[in-house]
C-alpha cells in the first residue's frame, strides 16, 4: 500500500437507533456504547437517538478505515472522546490499535454530522509507509 490518505464513511438512521432503544433498551446501549456515551444519553435523553446514531456511524467509519475483518469483535476497541467542545478524538485499543500501527496510522480525524433523519461520520487518516515498515 502506498502512503497517503485513507477514508472511512458510514451513515446511520436515527429512527433505526430509536427503534432499537425502544425494543432492547439498556441491553442495546450496554452492548454497543461506552460508559461515557451512556452518561451523555442519561443527561440529555431527548437527544439520545441522534447522539447514539452519530457514535454508531463514527465507530463504523473508523472500522472501515482500518479495514477490520471482524467489526463486531472490534466494536469496543474504538472509543470516541470529546477532547474539547466541537473536537472529537479517536482512541483505539486492542485489535484496532494493532491494525492502525500495521497500516502506519497514528492519528484518525473524525467528523460527525446530521442531515434530516440520518447521522453521517467520516474518518480520515494518513498512512505512512515508513512507520508501517518499522512495525513489520
Amino acid at each position: 500500500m502506498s502512503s497517503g490518505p485513507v477514508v472511512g464513511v458510514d451513515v446511520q438512521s436515527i429512527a433505526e437507533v430509536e427503534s432499537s432503544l425502544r425494543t432492547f433498551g439498556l441491553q442495546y446501549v450496554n452492548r454497543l456504547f461506552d460508559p461515557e456515551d451512556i452518561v451523555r444519553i442519561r443527561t440529555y435523553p431527548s437527544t439520545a437517538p441522534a447522539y447514539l446514531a452519530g457514535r454508531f456511524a463514527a465507530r463504523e467509519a473508523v472500522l472501515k478505515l482500518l479495514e477490520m475483518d471482524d467489526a463486531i469483535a472490534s466494536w469496543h476497541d474504538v472509543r470516541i472522546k470529546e477532547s474539547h467542545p466541537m473536537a472529537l478524538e479517536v482512541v483505539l485499543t486492542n485489535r484496532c490499535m494493532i491494525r492502525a500501527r500495521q497500516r502506519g496510522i497514528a492519528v484518525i480525524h473524525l467528523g460527525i454530522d446530521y442531515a434530516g433523519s440520518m447521522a453521517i461520520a467520516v474518518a480520515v487518516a494518513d498512512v505512512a509507509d515508513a512507520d508501517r515498515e518499522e512495525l513489520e
Side-chain angles (χ1 to χ4, degrees):
M1 178 189 294
S2 62
S3 62
V6 291
V7 177
V9 177
D10 195 68
V11 177
Q12 178 59 50
S13 162
I14 296 169
E16 198 174 283
V17 170
E18 191 169 33
S19 175
S20 294
L21 284 170
R22 276 193 310 272
T23 304
F24 302 108
L26 286 178
Q27 180 182 359
Y28 170 76
V29 173
N30 289 330
R31 181 170 181 243
L32 295 177
F33 299 98
D34 293 334
E36 294 86 1
D37 296 331
I38 295 168
V39 168
R40 168 68 195 264
I41 65 169
R42 285 184 175 155
T43 304
Y44 305 102
S46 65
T47 61
Y51 175 85
L52 293 177
R55 290 304 197 257
F56 190 102
R59 284 185 176 87
E60 286 291 320
V62 171
L63 291 171
K64 288 175 181 178
L65 176 144
L66 294 173
E67 297 179 352
M68 296 299 293
D69 294 330
D70 187 4
I72 297 299
S74 305
W75 186 264
H76 285 288
D77 293 347
V78 178
R79 302 198 61 198
I80 311 301
K81 300 232 175 225
E82 293 182 24
S83 53
H84 55 81
M86 303 302 290
L88 299 173
E89 177 184 1
V90 176
V91 179
L92 303 176
T93 59
N94 302 314
R95 292 178 49 205
C96 288
M97 181 177 62
I98 292 166
R99 180 69 175 149
R101 287 181 181 161
Q102 289 171 340
R103 295 202 64 207
I105 296 170
V107 176
I108 298 173
H109 303 281
L110 179 67
I112 301 172
D113 204 355
Y114 301 90
S117 63
M118 304 299 285
I120 184 168
V122 178
V124 180
D126 282 322
V127 174
D129 280 337
D131 293 338
R132 189 176 70 230
E133 290 169 9
E134 289 176 16
L135 294 169
E136 294 177 348

